[in-house]
Amino acid sequence: MRATLSLLVAGAAVVAAQNSTSLPDLVSQIPTCATPCLTQGASAAGCATTDFQCICSDSNKNRFISGATSCILEDCHGDDFNKVISVAGQICTVVTTDNPDPSAIASASAIVTSALGAASATSSPDSASVRPELGLGILGAAAMAALAL
């Protein structure tokens, strides 16, 4: 009986370790389509793009989402759109509940800075074009608002 209980506890620990993801790991999962949107969202929230504490604070999260939503709806589709929503929520959960150490924050910030540099170097002139899939804007905005909950 004790051996079985020990195995169950050990198995639960392994599963928990596999499900926990560091801040840099999560930031690196942000689809490239959303990279330019980070700047818009952070600016709307009055935060630096790499200031995760500021972006994820209760007072700024909704402003970040509002600022980034139209860009994400325009530039991210299908799996990328779903990934942005999932990862953004996970990032804020890690930032607000796990209190990541300064080296993890620095690493995540470096990833964002690098991605923003790459995005500005490869931005295309048609990235601001109007697309028919924006008709789903209300659904997308509702999904982004769900992150605030």
Side-chain angles (χ1 to χ4, degrees):
M1 180 71 169
R2 286 185 185 180
T4 303
L5 182 58
S6 295
L7 286 174
L8 287 174
V9 170
V14 168
V15 169
Q18 290 173 345
N19 289 335
S20 67
T21 305
S22 70
L23 182 60
D25 290 339
L26 288 169
V27 169
S28 68
Q29 293 177 37
I30 296 172
T32 56
C33 62
T35 302
C37 307
L38 299 176
T39 302
Q40 291 179 10
S43 178
C47 303
T49 310
T50 56
D51 189 347
F52 305 106
Q53 293 284 346
C54 180
I55 290 169
C56 293
S57 72
D58 288 338
S59 60
N60 292 329
K61 192 180 338 182
N62 287 337
R63 290 188 295 216
F64 175 82
I65 292 168
S66 294
T69 297
S70 64
C71 175
I72 291 169
L73 287 171
E74 184 175 324
D75 293 347
C76 298
H77 309 284
D79 290 342
D80 282 343
F81 179 78
N82 294 331
K83 185 72 168 179
V84 171
I85 292 170
S86 172
V87 170
Q90 291 176 35
I91 288 170
C92 282
T93 297
V94 166
V95 168
T96 58
T97 61
D98 293 352
N99 195 23
D101 62 60
S103 65
I105 293 171
S107 179
S109 295
I111 292 167
V112 169
T113 301
S114 176
L116 289 171
S120 66
T122 61
S123 64
S124 63
D126 67 339
S127 64
S129 63
V130 176
R131 298 183 184 153
E133 53 273 354
L134 290 179
L136 297 175
I138 294 173
L139 289 174
M144 293 298 289
L147 290 174
L149 300 177

